[in-house]
């Protein structure tokens, strides 16, 4: 028999028993719907974070601090929730990571030390940015009276930042900052492009508690993002100027950094990168890639949650599988004579087996397809509700995602489950003795 | 004429737990191509078993079946299926049509099993339905036909693969005398025109009459040839 004949015959046989077929299909439908939704939300959340990751130069950019300090997860901030107003009595952002990266250490990173016979630090490291531990008091729009807490860090060109309006900071900029969309909003600009070119003030306190306001120009607006905790970036000379004011004449403080971002040569192999990192570890540095920082905390959790949810859906499908097995078994009993006839007319055992298992697979296919479509419809509706409510303000976050490959994967998986469910009834059909089957009433 | 089917010292025993029942005893028989053969006997005489063994639906306990000189005990399951599918046609007392399927698809079934593309097999099925006079019922569901019409569809199905032999098991058993006669005439016509061997299992003397070779069975033994 031809494969198209199996499919057509199975389809016809299934729809001869419309009620029974529909009832079994409902079970598969529910399983497919659940699986597409649980997997969809997993994909959606995962996509969001991987996008965030790839917007940073994730593989070859490493953060370096000395091993006297550990990375603090709290200082990354959060792009959701409201930005608190400035309160002079209170510290600004929580969890600020104090640092002891000295000028010598920063110089060391840019030196020509040999890592191994083939590699020196200068070859491996393309550029190093040592960041000042600047702590500003507030950011404010002089046209309005509200002041908001913020944290400004040096803009590193290698960290790719997407833009909603304006441009990125260039080498020649003075007093330029890039803010995230939510800062633009609270600073009184309705649309991202309204903020571009506008001057806002950044308040910095010196050691004698005198606050000076630095006028800065917003050159670009980025989407709300986890990169840099959604905090503003400023050009290097601006940040240095503010930092100098903040520490006064304390030379020791002037020469200390919160940490360094080293951009490694993009041609380095994975082995070379780990070579460089273990060399730095031996020199009392701690290193982490962007991927590791976000990945460690977020992606593992997302994947775990996603498979936990999918497991529920698979239990539903397991139950549906017994329904399929039962349906096919009934079909075998009902069509015993027909099977006997086909055997008499020369059909092989294999023909009979596949005729029955195709019936299960077609059943699974339709159930999966309808379930998947239902899941996509429900997921899309829920996504748009979520974007307008709980996820408002986070751009590029579609709660449910249905990539084509995993959608096909779901359908194929359910067809496979249906096939497995049909094996026992199909073997039973295959083993029928044609003569006895023909006598069957 | 060549010997087409030959049975040599054929015995068939059914084992049911400790009890055994011998349905066929030491049968020796040969059928030539184009012959008309009637297998006659009371119910329980073993005539259906004989036909099943001859048509490779069942295998003998002892002895051998030779198809065109070739021993069946030496060919595998796949070749037996192929032989039944391509060289034999089957007609049953209860017609065995798929009631919910249309007449055309019922007739084309052996070709579908053989893997013939659907356009080709439908064409062939159509021409056979024309021959049995049921072309206008082509798209009708089989369940809606009368008994005589159903058996004519079954004949068309038995002929669709251009068989060498047709095995008919009580083909008129469920039909009235008049329609039974039409069905037999149709079978005779194919036997004569196309030289298709006809093996009919029957207890109807009128049908037995038209067959040159008559095999009388009683308690699994041939009593008269």
């Amino acid at each position: 028999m031809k494969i198209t004949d199996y499919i057509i015959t199975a389809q016809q046989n299934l729809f001869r028993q419309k009620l029974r077929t529909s009832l079994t299909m409902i079970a598969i439908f529910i399983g497919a719907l659940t699986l597409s939704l649980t997997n969809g939300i997993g994909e959606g959340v995962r996509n969001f974070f991987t996008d965030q990751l790839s917007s940073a130069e994730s593989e070859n950019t490493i953060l370096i601090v000395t091993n006297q300090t550990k990375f603090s997860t709290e200082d990354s901030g959060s792009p959701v929730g409201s930005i608190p107003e400035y309160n002079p009595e209170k510290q600004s952002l929580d969890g600020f990571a104090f640092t002891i990266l000295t000028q010598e250490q920063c110089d060391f990173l840019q030196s020509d030390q040999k890592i191994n016979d083939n590699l020196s630090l200068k070859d491996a490291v393309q550029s190093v940015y040592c960041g000042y531990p600047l702590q500003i008091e507030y950011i404010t729009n002089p046209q309005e009276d509200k002041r908001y807490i913020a944290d400004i860090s040096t803009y590193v060109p290698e960290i790719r930042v997407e833009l909603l309006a304006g441009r990125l900071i260039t080498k020649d900029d003075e007093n330029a900052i890039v803010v995230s969309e939510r800062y633009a909003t609270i600073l009184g600009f309705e649309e991202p492009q309204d903020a571009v070119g506008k001057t806002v003030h950044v308040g910095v306190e010196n050691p004698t508690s005198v606050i000076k306001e630095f006028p800065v120009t917003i050159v670009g607006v980025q989407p709300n993002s986890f990169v840099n905790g959604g905090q503003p970036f400023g050009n290097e000379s601006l940040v240095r100027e503010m930092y100098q004011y903040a520490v006064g004449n304390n030379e020791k403080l002037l020469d200390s950094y919160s940490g360094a971002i080293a951009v490694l040569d993009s041609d380095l192999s994975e082995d070379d990168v780990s070579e460089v990192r273990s060399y730095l570890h031996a020199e009392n540095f701690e290193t982490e890639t962007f991927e590791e920082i976000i990945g460690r905390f977020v992606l593992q959790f997302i994947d775990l949650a996603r498979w936990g949810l999918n497991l529920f859906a698979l239990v539903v499908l397991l139950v549906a599988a017994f329904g399929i097995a039962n349906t096919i078994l009934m079909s075998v009993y009902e069509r015993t004579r027909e099977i006997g006839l086909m055997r008499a007319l020369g059909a092989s055992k294999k023909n009979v087996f596949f005729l029955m298992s195709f019936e299960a697979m077609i059943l699974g296919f339709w159930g999966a397809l309808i379930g998947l479509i239902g899941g996509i419809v429900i997921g899309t509706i829920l996504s748009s509700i979520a974007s307008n409510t709980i996820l408002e303000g986070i751009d590029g976050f579609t709660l449910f995602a249905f990539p084509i490959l995993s959608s096909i994967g779901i359908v194929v998986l359910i067809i496979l489950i249906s096939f497995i469910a049909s094996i026992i009834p199909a073997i039973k059909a295959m083993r029928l003795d044609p003569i006895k089957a023909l006598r069957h009433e | 004429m060549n010997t087409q089917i030959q049975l040599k010292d054929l015995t068939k025993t059914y084992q049911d737990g400790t009890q055994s029942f011998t349905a066929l005893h030491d049968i020796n028989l040969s059928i030539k191509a184009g012959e008309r053969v009637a297998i006659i006997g009371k119910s329980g005489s073993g005539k259906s078993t004989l036909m099943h063994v001859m048509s490779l639906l069942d295998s003998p306990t002892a002895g051998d079946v030779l198809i065109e000189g070739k021993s069946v005990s030496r060919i595998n399951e796949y070749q037996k299926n192929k032989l039944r599918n391509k060289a034999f046609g089957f007609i049953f007392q209860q017609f065995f049509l798929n009631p919910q399927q249309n007449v055309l698809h019922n007739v084309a079934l052996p070709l579908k099993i053989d893997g013939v593309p659907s356009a080709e097999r439908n064409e062939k099925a159509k021409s056979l339905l024309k021959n049995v006079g049921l072309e206008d019922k082509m798209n009708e569901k089989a369940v809606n036909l009368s008994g005589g019409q159903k058996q004519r569809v079954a004949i068309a199905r038995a002929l669709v693969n251009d068989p060498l032999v047709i095995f008919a098991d009580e083909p008129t058993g469920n039909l009235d005398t008049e329609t039974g006669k039409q069905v037999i005439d149709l079978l005779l016509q194919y036997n004569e025109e196309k030289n298709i061997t006809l093996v009919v299992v029957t207890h109807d003397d009128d049908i037995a009459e038209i067959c040159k070779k008559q095999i009388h069975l009683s308690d699994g033994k041939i009593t008269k040839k």
Side-chain angles (χ1 to χ4, degrees):
Chain A
M1 277 180 80
K2 288 195 178 314
I3 188 142
T4 46
D5 285 330
Y6 281 121
I7 294 169
I8 294 166
T9 311
Q11 174 82 23
Q12 285 167 347
N13 287 340
L14 272 178
F15 286 90
R16 250 187 245 172
Q17 292 287 345
K18 289 190 188 68
L19 185 61
R20 190 174 71 201
T21 301
S22 334
L23 288 174
T24 312
M25 212 182 272
I26 287 172
I28 307 166
F29 166 80
I30 294 169
L33 184 81
T34 318
L35 184 59
S36 62
L37 283 176
T38 55
N39 196 56
I41 196 165
E43 288 273 0
V45 175
R46 194 174 214 293
N47 276 355
F48 175 68
F49 284 98
T50 23
D51 282 353
Q52 296 282 314
L53 276 179
S54 61
S55 73
E57 185 80 50
S58 52
E59 274 174 28
N60 279 9
T61 305
I62 54 179
L63 290 182
I64 301 171
V65 294
T66 68
N67 61 7
Q68 277 90 5
T69 44
K70 290 283 179 191
F71 283 106
S72 159
T73 56
E74 291 153 294
D75 69 343
S76 62
S78 156
V80 282
S82 57
I83 296 161
E85 272 193 60
Y86 170 64
N87 176 355
E89 303 298 313
K90 254 185 88 180
Q91 268 291 339
S92 55
L93 286 174
D94 297 333
F96 190 85
F98 286 99
T99 171
I100 346 169
L101 200 63
T102 63
Q103 187 65 49
E104 290 92 68
Q105 285 176 308
C106 196
D107 289 341
F108 174 84
L109 291 172
Q110 298 172 70
S111 69
D112 199 10
Q113 297 288 325
K114 269 211 169 314
I115 295 169
N116 58 28
D117 291 343
N118 308 317
L119 207 62
S120 73
L121 211 48
K122 207 165 198 162
D123 297 332
V125 180
Q126 206 181 316
S127 41
V128 174
Y129 299 88
C130 292
Y132 302 108
L134 170 66
Q135 216 176 349
I136 66 161
E137 294 298 304
Y138 57 82
I139 187 166
T140 184
N141 183 347
Q143 317 292 334
E144 315 205 347
D145 34 325
K146 282 193 175 165
R147 299 181 292 184
Y148 296 94
I149 64 164
D151 186 12
I152 295 185
S153 53
T154 309
Y155 173 70
V156 176
E158 277 79 2
I159 297 178
R160 287 195 302 267
V161 175
E162 287 172 59
L163 283 176
L164 295 171
R167 58 173 177 84
L168 289 174
I169 290 165
T170 64
K171 264 200 312 212
D172 308 323
D173 275 325
E174 284 174 28
N175 304 334
I177 62 168
V178 168
V179 296
S180 63
E181 192 186 4
R182 64 180 186 143
Y183 269 99
T185 311
I186 57 156
L187 289 171
F189 306 107
E190 257 176 49
E191 296 294 325
Q193 54 267 30
D194 299 340
V196 177
K198 298 289 171 11
T199 300
V200 293
H201 288 180
V202 175
V204 182
E205 192 181 42
N206 76 0
T208 54
S209 300
V210 180
I211 293 178
K212 179 184 171 185
E213 287 199 352
F214 288 78
V216 295
T217 307
I218 298 172
V219 297
V221 179
Q222 64 167 116
N224 299 327
S225 146
F226 276 90
V227 176
N228 199 37
Q231 294 293 328
F233 289 109
N235 63 291
E236 200 195 345
S237 59
L238 170 72
V239 175
R240 183 168 177 84
E241 199 186 325
M242 288 178 180
Y243 183 61
Q244 273 171 340
Y245 180 79
V247 297
N249 291 325
N250 189 330
E251 266 181 43
K252 200 184 165 217
L253 279 178
L254 207 51
D255 284 344
S256 64
Y257 300 92
S258 58
I261 292 171
V263 181
L264 300 182
D265 195 281
S266 53
D267 293 337
L268 284 191
S269 69
E270 244 174 78
D271 287 346
D272 286 340
V273 171
S274 55
E275 189 87 6
V276 172
R277 288 177 67 183
S278 49
Y279 173 75
L280 289 174
H281 293 166
E283 296 290 330
N284 291 336
F285 291 101
E286 294 245 332
T287 66
E288 268 189 301
T289 66
F290 268 53
E291 210 165 50
E292 285 169 337
I293 293 165
I294 306 179
R296 196 178 59 230
F297 301 119
V298 183
L299 292 183
Q300 282 174 0
F301 173 73
I302 293 170
D303 286 345
L304 202 70
R306 177 184 176 185
W307 285 108
L309 286 171
N310 284 357
L311 211 61
F312 276 107
L314 288 171
V315 170
V316 178
L317 283 172
L318 187 72
V319 175
F322 284 95
I324 295 170
N326 204 19
T327 300
I328 303 303
L329 195 61
M330 281 170 79
S331 195
V332 171
Y333 280 127
E334 237 169 42
R335 303 223 308 277
T336 298
R337 256 179 29 173
E338 191 182 322
I339 292 164
L341 174 76
M342 289 189 71
R343 296 278 281 121
L345 298 185
S348 63
K349 287 183 173 179
K350 195 183 87 187
N351 289 151
V352 172
F353 178 90
F354 281 114
L355 206 59
M356 301 320 290
S357 62
F358 262 88
E359 226 166 277
M361 288 190 280
I362 300 272
L363 192 64
F365 169 76
W366 287 118
L369 192 71
I370 300 168
L372 182 69
I373 292 169
I376 291 174
V377 169
I378 294 173
T380 311
I381 294 169
L382 288 181
S383 288
S384 76
I385 292 173
S387 313
N388 293 324
T389 54
I390 50 168
L391 300 176
E392 197 178 9
I394 305 185
D395 294 297
F397 193 174
T398 313
L399 188 56
F400 290 88
F402 302 95
I404 188 91
L405 213 63
S406 69
S407 298
I408 293 173
I410 287 172
V411 176
V412 171
L413 177 76
I414 292 173
I415 292 175
L416 190 73
I417 290 174
S418 310
F419 172 74
I420 293 169
S422 76
I423 287 178
I424 291 175
I427 287 177
K428 201 170 171 62
M430 180 179 100
R431 291 200 178 146
L432 285 174
D433 175 5
I435 297 164
K436 281 185 192 149
L438 279 171
R439 285 199 198 113
H440 183 90
E441 289 305 318
Chain B
M1 274 199 286
N2 296 327
T3 299
Q4 198 166 41
I5 301 174
Q6 196 179 2
L7 307 184
K8 271 189 181 166
D9 309 326
L10 192 133
T11 297
K12 176 73 188 176
T13 309
Y14 290 107
Q15 195 76 36
D16 186 12
T18 51
Q19 293 208 309
S20 76
F21 166 71
T22 305
L24 297 173
H25 278 284
D26 240 355
I27 304 282
N28 282 288
L29 176 67
S30 68
I31 297 169
K32 293 189 173 74
E35 251 187 324
R36 291 202 288 269
V37 184
I39 302 171
I40 306 153
K42 289 185 210 141
S43 70
S45 61
K47 55 189 194 305
S48 285
T49 305
L50 181 62
M51 194 200 84
H52 290 151
V53 172
M54 231 190 264
S55 60
L56 312 185
L57 280 171
D58 211 344
S59 29
T61 314
D64 205 356
V65 180
L66 288 89
I67 307 281
E68 304 210 303
K70 221 178 181 180
S71 167
V72 167
S73 56
R74 295 220 191 101
I75 70 174
N76 62 24
E77 194 66 33
Y78 172 80
Q79 287 166 311
K80 279 186 195 171
N81 288 336
K82 276 280 159 213
L83 211 57
R84 278 207 306 276
N85 184 241
K86 285 172 170 295
F88 296 166
F90 290 91
I91 295 166
F92 304 94
Q93 183 176 358
Q94 300 95 326
F95 324 127
F96 291 147
L97 303 180
N98 288 338
Q100 297 303 321
Q101 242 173 13
N102 72 24
V103 166
L104 189 73
H105 288 156
N106 265 293
V107 173
L109 182 62
L111 299 181
K112 178 160 109 179
I113 292 168
D114 191 23
V116 175
S118 74
E120 196 182 324
R121 66 182 191 240
N122 287 345
E123 203 50 48
K124 179 81 185 175
K126 222 183 275 182
S127 77
L128 275 150
L129 279 171
K130 205 176 189 172
N131 286 351
V132 300
L134 284 171
E135 205 191 6
D136 55 328
K137 301 281 184 198
M138 198 168 81
N139 296 315
E140 197 88 38
K141 277 187 181 176
V143 70
N144 297 332
L145 301 183
S146 71
Q149 288 171 328
K150 280 181 186 162
Q151 201 59 304
R152 271 145 71 200
V153 172
I155 291 171
R157 181 178 66 194
L159 290 162
V160 79
N161 53 351
D162 297 318
L164 302 171
V165 188
I166 286 184
F167 294 98
D169 190 356
E170 304 270 14
T172 60
N174 275 357
L175 303 175
D176 61 59
T177 321
E178 186 53 35
T179 42
K181 197 179 170 315
Q182 286 173 9
V183 163
I184 289 301
D185 286 347
L186 205 54
L187 287 174
L188 281 181
Q189 182 198 328
Y190 281 102
N191 167 253
E192 277 161 12
E193 284 176 10
K194 304 209 165 172
N195 202 37
I196 298 172
T197 313
L198 190 60
V199 179
V200 189
V201 171
T202 187
H203 55 251
D204 182 338
D205 290 337
D206 292 342
I207 296 172
E209 206 77 344
I210 57 163
C211 295
K212 282 188 200 115
K213 187 175 256 175
Q214 298 181 0
I215 295 153
H216 292 264
L217 273 183
S218 180
D219 294 331
K221 288 174 191 155
I222 296 178
T223 52
K224 195 169 85 184
K225 272 195 195 176

